[in-house]
Amino acid sequence: MSDDFVHKPVLLDRIVDLFSDVPAGLYVDATLGGAGHARAVLQANPGLHLLGLDRDEVALSAAMRNLADMPDRFELVRTGFDQLEHLVRDRTHQGASAVLLDLGVSSPQLDQPERGFSYRSAALLDMRMDRREPKSAMQVVNEYTYPELARVIRTYGEERFASRVARAIVEARPVTDTAELAEIIRNAIPAAARRTGGHPAKRTFQAIRIEVNSELEQLSDALDGALSVLAPGGRLAVLSYHSLEDRMVKSAFRQAETGGCVCPSGLPCACGAEPTVRLLKRGAWKAAPEEIAVNRRAESVRLRAAERLEEQAS
């Protein structure tokens, strides 16, 4: 198996700009990948020291090579991004100056057929970002009950034909490879619906991958942790690629921006809520057409960013 992890970082210039003038200190790239973003950020801000996290051993090997010429400026840890809060607190009392979350599956993972993420090539069902974990797509596809499978596909894939797809999968068991699964899904979706919206298996594969890797549960913990460890003036940037992720990011940022204020909109706050961040953009940044033309992964990206406010004097 090749351990190549060539990956075009999405919205690279924007991320570098967001982190170029944060205070000196710890920079956490909690979804490190091949360290494309991380390398550029370190080059632009010499006052930052990287704590790079990733569940994928192939990604960490690539990151180590990519950062080899700056050995004193990084530490890499193989772990999920839900662990970032305690990892930061173990290393500094000052908090993090910058935190980056680049969500979802990476292009190299999709491009390696043996990882079982892609519906475009035949491979054993896997989809684990961390291959030390026991649960793979094989278990989800072949062992979940029909109601459980339908729930996963409907909730995480936002697939309107989730019941039909789940029923077809259950009836075809055992299902062992990605090409077989993709064909089962395709045949379960009405012909008229297959004509639009991309590959008919895309949403179901996304749903199974999210379930296998507990992505949304980890994201909830990661967002809470990142917001809690930001130093004053520190910034959190999150790149998301589908609506479920983006809604969670938007909600977490709104909670931090308002301090959880429950007062009626348009009236002064009387509930004592204290904002902890300011949004760096109202809404989300998207990729320009020029970037999308050379990196299709950028087509669906939404980038949201916030800055930790100075602590109020008591």
Side-chain angles (χ1 to χ4, degrees), residues 21 40 55 67 131 140 151 183 189 216 221 253 304:
D21 58 354
R55 291 193 275 181
L67 300 169
R131 286 179 285 186
V140 173
R151 173 192 58 79
E183 186 64 15
I189 294 175
L216 298 189
D221 291 342
F253 277 19
R304 298 182 187 273

Side-chain angles (χ1 to χ4, degrees), residues 119 146 149-167 169 181-182 184-194 196-208 210 242-244 247:
Y119 45 76
Y146 162 71
L149 193 56
R151 173 192 58 79
V152 166
I153 296 169
R154 182 181 302 109
T155 304
Y156 296 154
E158 300 179 295
E159 172 57 74
R160 61 188 174 122
F161 301 107
S163 296
R164 293 177 61 145
V165 170
R167 179 68 66 193
I169 292 171
L181 178 60
I184 292 166
I185 297 166
R186 181 185 180 281
N187 291 336
I189 294 175
R194 296 199 300 259
T196 59
H199 196 289
K202 179 179 180 180
R203 290 180 293 275
T204 296
F205 268 63
Q206 170 188 292
I208 295 170
I210 289 172
H242 62 74
S243 58
L244 290 172
R247 285 199 296 268

Side-chain angles (χ1 to χ4, degrees), residues 232-276:
R235 291 180 171 182
L236 167 63
V238 187
L239 296 153
S240 57
Y241 299 86
H242 62 74
S243 58
L244 290 172
E245 295 170 338
D246 188 52
R247 285 199 296 268
M248 291 178 66
V249 176
K250 184 178 180 180
S251 176
F253 277 19
R254 184 189 301 117
Q255 178 78 8
E257 182 201 16
T258 64
C261 178
V262 295
C263 298
S265 178
L267 295 179
C269 177
C271 68
E274 293 187 4
T276 57

Side-chain angles (χ1 to χ4, degrees), residues 91-212:
R91 285 158 176 78
T92 176
H93 299 297
Q94 307 304 316
S97 296
V99 179
L100 176 64
L101 303 176
D102 186 2
L103 306 176
V105 66
S106 67
S107 300
Q109 288 167 330
L110 287 172
D111 293 342
Q112 295 170 359
E114 67 272 17
R115 301 299 298 273
F117 285 104
S118 178
Y119 45 76
R120 299 190 184 278
S121 55
L124 286 177
L125 287 167
D126 193 333
M127 301 193 194
R128 290 172 297 171
M129 293 179 180
D130 185 342
R131 286 179 285 186
R132 299 172 299 184
E133 295 294 327
K135 183 169 68 176
S136 72
M138 190 76 75
Q139 281 72 49
V140 173
V141 168
N142 290 293
E143 298 176 12
Y144 275 33
T145 65
Y146 162 71
E148 289 173 333
L149 193 56
R151 173 192 58 79
V152 166
I153 296 169
R154 182 181 302 109
T155 304
Y156 296 154
E158 300 179 295
E159 172 57 74
R160 61 188 174 122
F161 301 107
S163 296
R164 293 177 61 145
V165 170
R167 179 68 66 193
I169 292 171
V170 170
E171 291 176 352
R173 287 171 173 172
V175 182
T176 59
D177 77 50
T178 52
E180 180 186 6
L181 178 60
E183 186 64 15
I184 292 166
I185 297 166
R186 181 185 180 281
N187 291 336
I189 294 175
R194 296 199 300 259
R195 299 190 187 108
T196 59
H199 196 289
K202 179 179 180 180
R203 290 180 293 275
T204 296
F205 268 63
Q206 170 188 292
I208 295 170
R209 188 203 80 221
I210 289 172
E211 174 71 9
V212 166

